Amino acid sequence: MPVWDQQLLRAALAGGAVTSAVRIRPAVGARQAAVLVLLGPAGQDDLDVTLVERASTLRHHAGQIAFPGGARDADDPNLIVTALREAEEEIGVAPEEVEVLGELGAVHVEVSRFDVTTVVGAWAGDRTLTSRDPGEVAAVHRVPLSVLTDPATRVTAVHPRGYRGPAFVVDDLFVWGLTAHLLDAVLDLAGWQQPWDHGRRREVPQRFLVDSGRGPRTA
């Protein structure tokens, strides 16, 4: 079992040179959004990451697996506030419950035309999380790091129109696109990444392709 020491991750995030850790297009000055990578305890000697399953009726990213998050409001003083506010609205984790470890550099998401900043935080994880807004979030999943770092979980996602990128297969969930890139970056920065077979490819299941048919997308 790896040691899930958060100090290396905290130090890497504090260093500021983390934009290149996410291997997709950097921010372009578009409208801002933020997501929260929330780390919590998952039993003895393990941590978990909270993922949400987007509602199938959404305009963008319908049915896809993502982190809690959304667009920056005009009165949000910064993007950390945005990420924490969205997490409270979507899954009921209050801002004061989260210890912010740092941020990843912003990246551009073409399909939704947002520049997205990733906030990484830790919390006590002492209760079951459920959706507070079924119109946004269909389900909440807490996935152990021991599962996410298992080489058997890792594949290269193949989009019907040519996209290739990291992915995670967790039971019937297929995590790809921006979320998978961000997870991959966090695992790298924390020193938790395990070698995996990049040649093992899996087509993105139709369930997770609801709004991505217009061309290759990373999110």
Side-chain angles (χ1 to χ4, degrees):
M1 173 75 70
V3 177
W4 309 115
D5 186 350
Q6 298 178 33
Q7 295 308 309
L8 181 60
L9 175 58
R10 186 193 299 269
L13 293 168
V18 295
T19 302
S20 62
V22 186
R23 301 174 183 87
I24 57 178
R25 188 180 182 186
V28 298
R31 187 182 178 194
Q32 294 180 313
V35 298
L36 180 64
V37 178
L38 190 63
L39 302 171
Q44 187 174 7
D45 299 325
D46 207 351
L47 295 175
D48 62 28
V49 176
T50 297
L51 299 171
V52 299
E53 186 170 348
R54 293 295 180 194
S56 61
T57 54
L58 292 176
R59 179 180 178 184
H60 296 302
H61 312 302
Q64 292 189 10
I65 306 303
F67 295 113
R72 182 176 184 175
D73 281 353
D75 56 354
D76 288 344
N78 56 56
L79 288 162
I80 291 177
V81 169
T82 300
L84 297 178
R85 174 182 54 74
E86 288 284 341
E88 183 173 30
E89 292 174 0
E90 292 183 354
I91 61 175
V93 175
E96 59 268 22
E97 296 181 73
V98 181
E99 177 191 2
V100 174
L101 304 180
E103 303 172 50
L104 292 171
V107 296
H108 184 64
V109 182
E110 183 181 356
V111 67
S112 56
R113 299 180 181 177
F114 277 99
D115 287 346
V116 178
T117 293
T118 303
V119 177
V120 183
W123 75 300
D126 55 359
R127 64 184 184 279
T128 300
L129 297 177
T130 58
S131 171
R132 294 189 68 186
D133 183 358
E136 290 277 345
V137 174
V140 182
H141 307 278
R142 293 180 61 179
V143 184
L145 283 174
S146 56
V147 173
L148 293 172
T149 57
D150 185 343
T153 301
R154 303 300 308 272
V155 298
T156 294
V158 179
H159 189 283
R161 300 200 179 199
Y163 167 78
R164 303 286 188 275
F168 300 76
V169 181
V170 181
D171 297 327
D172 65 337
L173 303 179
F174 193 88
V175 185
W176 72 291
L178 176 65
T179 305
H181 277 283
L182 296 178
L183 267 177
D184 199 54
V186 168
L187 296 180
D188 277 343
L189 290 168
W192 299 334
Q193 189 81 264
Q194 302 295 312
W196 58 280
D197 182 4
H198 292 247
R200 193 159 69 100
R201 299 180 179 181
R202 181 80 63 86
E203 290 188 6
V204 181
Q206 187 61 42
R207 170 185 168 188
F208 303 98
L209 285 174
V210 174
D211 68 352
S212 60
R214 290 171 289 174
R217 303 294 188 191
T218 59

